[in-house]
Amino acid sequence: MTFSTEDFARALADHDYTFQTGSTVKGTVIGHGSEGAMVEIGGKSDAFLPLKEASLERIESLEETLPLGDEFEFLIIRDQDKDGRVVLSLRRLMVQQVWERLTQREANKDILDVKVTGTNKGGVIVDVEGLRGFIPRSHLAQSEDLDALVGTTLSVGFLEVNQENNKLVLSQRQAARSQAMSTLEVGQLVQGKVASLKPYGAFVSFDGVTGLLHINQISQNYVDSLPNLLKAGQDIQAIIVSLDEQRGRISLSTKVLEKYPGELLKEFDTVMSDIDNRLQNVGKMLANSEL
């Protein structure tokens, strides 16, 4: 059996390859029904938009959401049938666009507001522009009564944006840290508490963030026993000597408050109570990079 040029042209006419599953197409709404809308897309038959594919959110009125004569861009989700009709989706195209926006916002390290819609044992479920997101309990500022968070709006940062696995993980603590970081500056005096001790220094919590007071930044003299000087829960004041907003790192120093090497090791309480008289010297040390 031979296949002529005319046969090939006829086959192309019978099956429009511009209307394939996964491609986008512009169309005009020309009719409404109980199950969806009819859309004119320039094919030999009108396309069909099922009600459930018309929006990311529940539709109260199809006529108001998709007025007759309005043009939209649609995603083709089912190839042409024998009558040349394709099935369209606005919802899935919107989902793709939301994922693209969120991927860009993650790259920009943006903070966004989300509404808590539910809970599970691991954290809370949130609505993110119509997508389902998750905030682990460990990344919530208040993690005791999760049910109390339902209906509230939280500011969050991104932990993971993975469209392929439909995974959107967020962090309220990260957002609080980013927002706090934006208000900090080198040379600033902070008041906080010792959160924990490590062989290399102490972590100090203040204003919802945590900074590292490295053992070399505690005193101008060598510190032979950190636990003998500091304890978890202890009040402390320190100076910010370095900020890395990209990594969320804050470096602190108390040695810049000393009037002589080793003063803080001998007279810790005296140094802490005399901060105001020492700040001018701190500025000079930072300006001269005497760290």
Side-chain angles (χ1 to χ4, degrees):
M1 178 179 179
T2 59
F3 196 67
S4 67
T5 303
E6 290 77 10
D7 292 330
F8 184 68
R10 192 178 304 111
L12 287 176
D14 291 339
H15 194 89
D16 192 334
Y17 284 90
T18 63
F19 300 140
Q20 297 297 291
T21 300
S23 61
T24 57
V25 63
K26 286 186 177 180
T28 303
V29 180
I30 59 173
H32 300 124
S34 59
E35 296 183 353
M38 300 305 298
V39 181
E40 197 281 311
I41 60 173
K44 63 181 182 180
S45 295
D46 297 328
F48 178 61
L49 175 71
L51 186 61
K52 67 178 182 179
E53 297 293 340
S55 176
L56 282 174
E57 302 175 353
R58 183 176 178 179
I59 292 180
E60 299 296 333
S61 171
L62 189 61
E63 289 79 3
E64 291 182 7
T65 304
L66 299 171
L68 291 178
D70 278 14
E71 184 181 71
F72 299 89
E73 189 171 35
F74 301 90
L75 180 70
I76 296 175
I77 59 173
R78 189 180 302 167
D79 207 351
Q80 297 181 67
D81 59 18
K82 58 182 177 61
D83 298 319
R85 173 171 294 175
V86 300
V87 179
L88 307 174
S89 175
L90 260 177
R91 182 184 65 83
R92 298 189 203 183
L93 187 59
M94 290 176 180
V95 167
Q96 285 186 7
Q97 293 168 344
V98 171
W99 277 111
E100 290 171 1
R101 285 198 299 273
L102 294 179
T103 299
Q104 184 59 55
R105 296 194 69 177
E106 179 193 30
N108 295 340
K109 298 187 180 300
D110 287 346
I111 302 300
L112 64 157
D113 292 333
V114 298
K115 186 173 182 179
V116 180
T117 58
T119 69
N120 60 32
K121 63 180 181 180
V124 298
I125 309 301
V126 296
D127 177 81
V128 188
E129 295 189 43
L131 298 185
R132 177 188 171 100
F134 176 66
I135 306 175
R137 184 187 290 267
S138 61
H139 283 270
L140 289 165
Q142 185 279 102
S143 59
E144 298 304 317
D145 186 2
L146 298 186
D147 290 333
L149 295 175
V150 176
T152 64
T153 298
L154 305 178
S155 294
V156 297
F158 295 95
L159 291 179
E160 182 177 359
V161 178
N162 190 323
Q163 181 179 359
E164 185 176 345
N165 295 329
N166 197 34
K167 199 171 182 181
L168 181 56
V169 188
L170 308 157
S171 171
Q172 186 185 20
R173 287 187 179 276
Q174 185 183 88
R177 185 177 183 85
S178 296
Q179 291 171 331
M181 287 281 288
S182 66
T183 67
L184 302 177
E185 58 185 21
V186 172
Q188 181 177 335
L189 174 70
V190 299
Q191 301 181 21
K193 291 183 180 294
V194 177
S196 62
L197 298 180
K198 301 294 180 182
Y200 50 84
F203 284 100
V204 178
S205 295
F206 62 95
D207 299 334
V209 297
T210 301
L212 174 62
L213 176 60
H214 195 277
I215 196 165
N216 293 335
Q217 288 290 340
I218 292 176
S219 174
Q220 297 174 61
N221 279 0
Y222 176 72
V223 179
D224 58 0
S225 177
L226 191 57
N228 286 344
L229 181 66
L230 301 175
K231 291 179 174 55
Q234 179 178 344
D235 291 331
I236 190 170
Q237 298 182 78
I239 301 295
I240 297 175
V241 292
S242 177
L243 285 170
D244 186 341
E245 292 191 37
Q246 195 73 13
R247 296 182 179 181
R249 294 179 179 176
I250 306 168
S251 297
L252 304 172
S253 176
T254 52
K255 77 178 185 181
V256 296
L257 299 170
E258 292 184 322
K259 291 184 176 179
Y260 61 86
E263 181 188 13
L264 191 126
L265 305 180
K266 298 176 181 179
E267 303 288 345
F268 182 89
D269 291 340
T270 299
V271 174
M272 290 294 110
S273 62
D274 189 41
I275 296 293
D276 290 344
N277 296 323
R278 300 165 184 262
L279 292 181
Q280 186 174 359
N281 187 51
V282 168
K284 292 178 180 179
M285 291 186 69
L286 292 176
N288 296 326
S289 298
E290 296 179 11
L291 300 177

